[in-house]
Amino acid sequence: MSQGIIKEEILRDDLKYYFMSPCEKYRARRQLPWKLGVQILKIVMITSQYRQLGRLSVGPISYAEEDGKLLPLVICKEYYKRGNVEPSDEAYDIDAQLEKVCMANDPTNVSQWKAENVSFFNLEFYRLVDIKITFQLKGINLQTVRSHELPDCYVFFVTITFDNQCHSGKIKIFLDIDALSSACKNWKISGTAQKNTHYLLVFDGFVILVCLTSAVLCTRSIVLAVKLLQRFSRFFRENYNHKVCKTDQKEFLNGWYVLVIVSDAMAIVGSILKMEIQAKSLTSYDVCSIFLGTSTLMVWVGVIRYLGYFQKYNVLILTMKTAFPKVIRFCCCAGMIYLGYTFCGWIVLGPYHEKFEGLSRVAESLFSLVNGDDMYTTFAQLKDKNSLVWLFSRVYLYSFISLFIYMVLSLFIALITDAYDTIKNYQKNGFPMTDLQRFLREQKDFPPSEEGSEMDTETGMGHPALCCCRRAPSNDDIILIS
């Protein structure tokens, strides 16, 4: 054989091996599916982190003390420096400069506040901008006793805000709580072991190690795919004098590996935050849960890749892959109409309907209407005091519901159905052949090794620990999923 033929066969063998499923790789070269094992282990470990993280729920709570004295409850009111409003005469005189006055009191002597500070509690609402009440609470988390851990102490910084900036007759109330955890100073508990936080830290460290291993393996596969694409492109350019088509190039650009790497990065960051929380250095439960929750979602979605190696399980993947470009273009066009209705509803119906007071609320309300939720309430809450606005609201709502439910959603479903029918037809009659698939079909599959020759061709069991179901030979060259 000439040197060129040898290089061609080596390239073909490398490409066929790269696009094999983990079970096929094991049958061909007895290489264990390390990436698959790492992904399964990662799913179990990352999912189990939620059981350890939990949510803060503190039972015994009292006002905070310092040096044996209760910390004061502080009330601050902010108002215009000067104001005189006479609506009957349509006259007003307001100095827009703001002033702030605060008062600190013992939280246990509420009854004496008003008697001692009468002028402070006489509020002129046309001057009032907001009132803020701040105080501190301390609590002990006794839930950890059940898991043989010592309870943790928490300090809560509470702020209650009465917002009157709009001067609309309605005062909005906001509650903001920031928590700070620490080890309790004076504790005495019996019948429990020492705090086992270090075991959880070791577990989180092992999760980080597994995620790093997964990221390294996927990065290695991406680098290998780039090198194979370069070799394949060079071969086609030298032998056939044309470039590799974009369809074949996309086969080497595996989005699953990118998804796994991103999930690994988020899992590592979430695990580090979780370790800091357990060490009482941070209390960012929300940030930690976002990183761990998103990484868990991506990890579970990434497992679909391995189901895609089997023809009966890869319909969802192929349908999404086929319909995605069309769906994105369709959503861009429909989104323009949706934004138009959003701005129109906010401008016209905002003063008359609470669901149209803000842009975000309008978008949420319209999305609910598209899904058939809360329709009657949306119509009924708009009163007919203003006949023109009431008539406009009916035209607005009826046109939006009719357009998006009967036309936009139907076309959206039709795009996905068309992609599904196309995939089913391809699976029945064969997928269109590309240059890459024609190149790979010029040689038979890898010959099985001596151990693999004893494999049961019906069950596909070559190793008792690996349940690798052998696909029909006619399906091996239908589609490439690396």
Side-chain angles (χ1 to χ4, degrees):
M1 298 177 65
S2 63
Q3 188 70 17
I5 297 178
I6 295 177
K7 290 183 178 180
E8 179 180 349
E9 294 301 325
I10 294 176
L11 175 61
R12 183 179 289 109
D13 290 347
D14 292 341
L15 288 173
K16 290 177 70 66
Y17 184 76
Y18 176 77
F19 289 109
M20 282 183 176
S21 68
C23 294
E24 291 171 338
K25 291 181 179 180
Y26 178 79
R27 288 195 294 265
R29 297 181 181 177
R30 289 304 182 197
Q31 177 177 332
L32 295 177
W34 294 108
K35 287 197 294 291
L36 175 60
V38 170
Q39 298 306 315
I40 295 176
L41 178 61
K42 190 172 65 174
I43 285 177
V44 176
M45 299 187 67
I46 292 180
T47 307
S48 63
Q49 280 186 315
Y50 282 101
R51 187 178 181 85
Q52 302 171 10
L53 183 63
R55 279 292 176 180
L56 179 62
S57 179
V58 179
I61 293 179
S62 62
Y63 287 103
E65 294 184 4
E66 186 174 318
D67 299 330
K69 296 182 179 179
L70 291 175
L71 294 178
L73 184 147
V74 181
I75 303 177
C76 295
K77 65 177 183 178
E78 195 173 25
Y79 53 89
Y80 295 128
K81 186 175 182 179
R82 186 187 71 254
N84 185 18
V85 178
E86 296 293 340
S88 59
D89 298 334
E90 298 182 356
Y92 62 89
D93 180 15
I94 294 179
D95 187 350
Q97 184 178 355
L98 297 179
E99 288 186 347
K100 187 175 183 180
V101 179
C102 296
M103 178 187 67
N105 290 282
D106 187 345
T108 58
N109 297 327
V110 181
S111 58
Q112 301 178 4
W113 292 359
K114 190 171 183 179
E116 298 176 357
N117 302 276
V118 177
S119 60
F120 183 87
F121 289 101
N122 288 335
L123 303 177
E124 296 176 337
F125 286 96
Y126 63 89
R127 295 175 56 196
L128 181 66
V129 176
D130 62 47
I131 297 177
K132 291 186 178 180
I133 303 175
T134 58
F135 55 94
Q136 296 182 24
L137 299 174
K138 286 189 176 181
I140 302 176
N141 181 18
L142 297 178
Q143 294 180 346
T144 57
V145 176
R146 185 175 55 184
S147 57
H148 303 290
E149 295 183 21
L150 298 179
D152 299 321
C153 291
Y154 290 85
V155 179
F156 299 97
F157 302 90
V158 184
T159 301
I160 302 174
T161 303
F162 297 85
D163 189 359
N164 191 42
Q165 294 183 9
C166 296
H167 292 88
S168 61
K170 296 181 179 179
I171 298 181
K172 297 181 179 180
I173 303 177
F174 302 95
L175 175 63
D176 183 34
I177 301 178
D178 294 326
L180 177 63
S181 64
S182 62
C184 296
K185 297 179 181 179
N186 302 319
W187 57 269
K188 182 179 180 181
I189 188 171
S190 59
T192 183
Q194 291 294 326
K195 202 169 186 179
N196 59 356
T197 304
H198 54 282
Y199 294 115
L200 300 178
L201 295 178
V202 171
F203 177 82
D204 293 331
F206 189 61
V207 171
I208 295 175
L209 179 61
V210 172
C211 292
L212 285 174
T213 304
S214 173
V216 170
L217 291 175
C218 292
T219 304
R220 173 179 170 271
S221 298
I222 292 177
V223 173
L224 176 61
V226 173
K227 292 181 178 179
L228 284 175
L229 177 59
Q230 293 174 351
R231 290 172 56 190
F232 184 65
S233 301
R234 190 183 309 114
F235 172 82
F236 257 68
R237 186 172 58 254
E238 294 175 354
N239 293 270
Y240 301 101
N241 196 25
H242 70 84
K243 296 181 180 180
V244 178
C245 63
K246 292 184 179 180
T247 303
D248 287 338
Q249 292 180 6
K250 291 180 181 179
E251 296 293 343
F252 293 90
L253 303 178
N254 196 324
W256 293 110
Y257 290 144
V258 178
L259 178 69
V260 172
I261 293 175
V262 173
S263 69
D264 291 335
M266 300 192 72
I268 291 173
V269 175
S271 299
I272 294 175
L273 293 177
K274 181 173 177 288
M275 295 172 70
E276 292 293 330
I277 291 174
Q278 291 172 346
K280 311 308 174 191
S281 301
L282 292 175
T283 55
S284 303
Y285 285 91
D286 294 334
V287 178
C288 178
S289 61
I290 289 174
F291 276 101
L292 290 181
T294 307
S295 65
T296 305
L297 170 63
M298 292 182 176
V299 167
W300 280 98
V301 171
V303 178
I304 300 179
R305 167 180 176 260
Y306 296 97
L307 295 177
Y309 288 113
F310 306 97
Q311 182 181 359
K312 294 183 179 180
Y313 294 93
N314 65 356
V315 176
L316 174 61
I317 302 174
L318 299 180
T319 303
M320 293 176 60
K321 184 178 179 181
T322 304
F324 185 75
K326 298 180 181 179
V327 168
I328 292 298
R329 291 192 292 267
F330 180 80
C331 289
C332 290
C333 297
M336 300 303 168
I337 305 176
Y338 191 86
L339 287 176
Y341 271 93
T342 301
F343 283 104
C344 179
W346 174 51
I347 295 172
V348 179
L349 303 180
Y352 301 94
H353 203 297
E354 62 178 6
K355 292 185 178 181
F356 294 85
E357 291 180 351
L359 277 176
S360 61
R361 298 192 67 176
V362 175
E364 295 165 0
S365 299
L366 294 181
F367 187 79
S368 300
L369 291 176
V370 171
N371 292 275
D373 184 29
D374 213 18
M375 282 192 180
Y376 177 77
T377 306
T378 305
F379 279 93
Q381 285 184 352
L382 190 64
K383 306 300 181 181
D384 55 353
K385 294 181 179 180
N386 190 321
S387 301
L388 181 61
V389 175
W390 182 86
L391 180 61
F392 176 87
S393 68
R394 265 44 190 175
V395 175
Y396 172 85
L397 292 175
Y398 278 118
S399 63
F400 175 82
I401 293 173
S402 302
L403 177 63
F404 273 82
I405 290 183
Y406 302 133
M407 184 177 295
V408 175
L409 282 185
S410 299
L411 291 175
F412 184 84
I413 296 174
L415 289 176
I416 301 176
T417 304
D418 179 68
Y420 175 78
D421 294 337
T422 302
I423 295 301
K424 294 297 291 184
N425 184 48
Y426 283 162
Q427 288 184 335
K428 181 179 180 180
N429 302 321
F431 283 80
M433 298 297 294
T434 63
D435 294 336
L436 176 60
Q437 292 170 330
R438 293 191 188 96
F439 178 76
L440 295 179
R441 291 190 65 181
E442 293 178 7
Q443 184 185 6
K444 295 182 179 180
D445 293 338
F446 276 92
S449 59
E450 294 181 359
E451 297 180 6
S453 61
E454 299 177 359
M455 181 183 300
D456 187 352
T457 58
E458 294 183 1
T459 61
M461 299 297 294
H463 195 280
L466 297 175
C467 301
C468 299
C469 302
R470 186 175 181 84
R471 293 182 296 173
S474 60
N475 297 332
D476 289 341
D477 52 13
I478 287 180
I479 190 163
L480 303 174
I481 302 179
S482 58

